[in-house]
Amino acid sequence: MKITSTTIIAVRKEDQVVLAGDGQVTLGERTVIKHGTKKVRTLCDGQILAGFAGAAADAITLFEKLEQKLKDHSNQLLRAAVEMGKEWRSDRYLRRLEAQLLVADRQLTLLIAGSGDIIEPDDGVIAIGSGGPYAMAAGLALLKHTDLTAKEIALEALGITAGICIYTNDNISVVELTGKA
């Protein structure tokens, strides 16, 4: 499934974890109808970061489903993600949802997709949405070749992406976890 119309990036560096997303909402292929949507948020009293790419209504449904799975599994992100992935893939209604999620806690960053994929990045950076490949490439280069913080890397990578991807703007929202648990 190809998700267009946004870019979300997760960056993990030392004791910092950041999710950032642009604010653009695009109707169809040619019309920007909103510039300041928030596509990243915290869950579980600020202990889990989550961001979405895809249809907003579908993403809200998935956020609610993930929050329930987190409650069911004592806020254990991996276990909740696996259970959600199983249900997303097998449930007739959920299978039709067109979105992807990036989620993170202090130990783990995951991409959760309707195909049943639950992917943990190797290098501390992962991105989704139409600008995901650009943001991920920029984020990885910045992580490897600069001393920027995780937040600075996420902001710079999305800024670069906004200059390349027509479905990404530079109205960026950020959620973060810093310090030791």
Side-chain angles (χ1 to χ4, degrees):
M1 162 182 25
K2 182 174 181 180
I3 305 293
T4 60
S5 71
T6 200
T7 305
I8 306 294
I9 187 169
V11 179
R12 181 177 294 276
K13 182 176 182 183
E14 297 162 358
D15 62 351
Q16 308 162 356
V17 184
V18 173
L19 256 67
D22 78 306
Q24 184 168 301
V25 175
T26 307
L27 181 61
E29 296 180 10
R30 296 189 179 119
T31 307
V32 176
I33 59 171
K34 188 167 174 79
H35 299 280
T37 298
K38 305 271 190 246
K39 301 173 192 172
V40 294
R41 63 175 61 175
T42 62
L43 306 174
C44 299
D45 297 321
Q47 298 305 304
I48 306 282
L49 307 178
F52 74 89
D58 293 352
I60 291 167
T61 299
L62 293 169
F63 280 151
E64 290 171 355
K65 181 65 69 178
L66 178 60
E67 282 187 299
Q68 185 58 53
K69 295 294 183 188
L70 286 162
K71 286 179 188 172
D72 293 346
H73 299 289
S74 305
N75 291 342
Q76 294 178 43
L77 182 58
L78 182 58
R79 181 123 186 253
V82 168
E83 292 303 317
M84 185 176 145
K86 285 184 200 175
E87 187 174 346
W88 192 353
R89 185 173 170 98
S90 63
D91 183 275
R92 286 182 81 188
Y93 169 73
L94 291 177
R95 262 196 323 254
R96 296 180 181 182
L97 299 183
E98 296 186 13
Q100 293 179 326
L101 300 178
L102 280 184
V103 294
D105 64 10
R106 294 200 181 277
Q107 289 80 37
L108 194 60
T109 302
L110 299 171
L111 180 153
I112 307 171
S115 60
D117 290 332
I118 299 168
I119 300 167
E120 181 180 8
D122 288 332
D123 301 317
V125 177
I126 191 164
I128 57 174
S130 57
Y134 309 119
M136 188 168 167
L140 287 167
L142 292 165
L143 182 66
K144 185 174 181 180
H145 297 289
T146 71
D147 292 326
L148 296 175
T149 66
K151 182 177 181 178
E152 291 167 335
I153 290 169
L155 290 169
E156 187 65 27
L158 281 179
I160 291 167
T161 303
I164 299 169
C165 177
I166 62 170
Y167 296 109
T168 304
N169 71 12
D170 59 1
N171 189 343
I172 299 168
S173 300
V174 177
V175 290
E176 60 187 311
L177 299 173
T178 58
K180 301 287 183 207

